[in-house]
Amino acid sequence: MEENREEEVTILSRFSTILFDLDDTLFDFSACWEKGMQQTIAIHALTTDLDGAELLAALRRHGDDLWVDVIAKKYDFTQYRQLRLQRAMADFNRTIAVEEADDFQRTYQAACLEAVQPDPAVQAVIAKLAEEHKLGIVTNGPVDMAFIKLERLGLSAYFPQERVVISELLGYHKPDPRIYAAAQERFGVASSEVLFVGDTWEADVAGAIDAGFSAVWLNPRGKKATSAHQPLAVIERLEQLPAYL
């Protein structure tokens, strides 16, 4: 066991660059999404009289279904948000206009971002890693929320705009190999020098490994791998990462 540990440390210490996923990696976005949606459903004129738990489940279900089409570039993030709510409302026999969906989104976004709070443990990890590594972010997300999240997390100084690769700006999403290539080019490093850290198997582990990176899987809920890819480590909390470096 000690031999394996020493080998892991030797392998991981070679990385000059560490790239992170953002949502559910640097903070618990799922909890913020749920809190923001619950609050919005409870106060917004479109939804205040509906069963909040049922609507939340519908939003989650339709969001998951539509995400496949976002990855395939059938819809952009604005259309995704509109259709997610329209289809969820259709489950309650209600039809809403895109303008109404946009107003709901604005209310939700404010509530969600309010729920994003700095985590001293994560801040300490990032500060420590920044001493010896170049740090960056590669996220499947919209531009309008990414930098506000980082500011609210107290991480903007470690991830300035030039170090944040956002799928909406590039036009393709993880696990598309082009997004990892764009990140590698931006940082000017060999793929062998890059460690990718994230919570999603397909996007942050399998996709990164296929692009020539190494990966650490942040897996707090004990999910099962869906392919034969081999991450260098599996951790439950981001605070465990420096122990491998």
Side-chain angles (χ1 to χ4, degrees):
M1 180 66 72
E2 189 61 32
E3 260 182 39
N4 291 341
R5 169 68 177 167
E6 288 177 1
E7 183 180 350
E8 254 185 349
V9 171
T10 301
I11 291 172
L12 289 172
S13 64
R14 74 171 184 257
F15 300 112
S16 67
T17 303
I18 304 176
L19 300 179
F20 295 89
D21 173 49
L22 176 55
D23 294 346
D24 290 322
T25 296
L26 293 179
F27 77 109
D28 190 349
F29 174 72
S30 296
C32 294
W33 182 88
E34 184 163 322
K35 184 176 180 179
M37 278 298 180
Q38 287 174 334
Q39 181 176 327
T40 305
I41 290 167
I43 66 172
H44 199 278
L46 286 175
T47 56
T48 186
D49 63 327
L50 297 177
D51 184 295
E54 289 186 10
L55 180 55
L56 188 69
L59 285 164
R60 185 177 286 112
R61 182 175 65 256
H62 289 295
D64 289 346
D65 291 343
L66 284 163
W67 185 247
V68 177
D69 293 325
V70 173
I71 296 296
K73 297 192 291 186
K74 183 177 179 180
Y75 302 122
D76 61 25
F77 276 100
T78 297
Q79 293 168 317
Y80 166 77
R81 292 160 168 171
Q82 292 166 345
L83 286 167
R84 178 178 61 188
L85 183 59
Q86 287 177 319
R87 293 183 183 182
M89 294 294 282
D91 290 348
F92 293 84
N93 298 312
R94 294 189 181 179
T95 302
I96 63 170
V98 293
E99 295 80 9
E100 293 176 301
D102 290 343
D103 186 70
F104 181 93
Q105 172 64 26
R106 283 189 291 270
T107 304
Y108 152 74
Q109 187 165 315
C112 177
L113 290 173
E114 185 64 29
V116 178
Q117 298 295 326
D119 183 336
V122 172
Q123 290 176 322
V125 168
I126 296 301
K128 180 178 178 64
L129 294 176
E131 293 174 0
E132 297 184 1
H133 303 83
K134 290 186 287 187
L135 306 182
I137 287 173
V138 182
T139 176
N140 277 355
V143 177
D144 60 0
M145 295 180 73
F147 296 109
I148 302 174
K149 292 172 185 174
L150 288 171
E151 183 177 352
R152 292 193 62 84
L153 292 168
L155 299 176
S156 294
Y158 302 104
F159 300 104
Q161 290 195 17
E162 64 270 16
R163 292 190 179 190
V164 181
V165 178
I166 302 176
S167 64
E168 185 179 30
L169 289 177
L170 291 180
Y172 32 84
H173 312 270
K174 297 178 293 182
D176 189 312
R178 291 173 293 180
I179 196 168
Y180 311 101
Q184 183 182 342
E185 181 178 358
R186 182 171 301 188
F187 280 83
V189 293
S191 60
S192 60
E193 295 179 39
V194 180
L195 178 67
F196 203 105
V197 181
D199 70 293
T200 304
W201 179 264
E202 292 81 4
D204 303 322
V205 178
I209 291 172
D210 286 343
F213 301 163
S214 297
V216 167
W217 190 18
L218 178 62
N219 186 23
R221 296 177 176 85
K223 295 179 181 177
K224 301 297 183 183
T226 57
S227 65
H229 295 81
Q230 293 293 318
L232 294 179
V234 180
I235 58 178
E236 295 180 354
R237 303 183 313 280
L238 201 64
E239 303 94 278
Q240 295 171 312
L241 182 60
Y244 291 93
L245 298 169

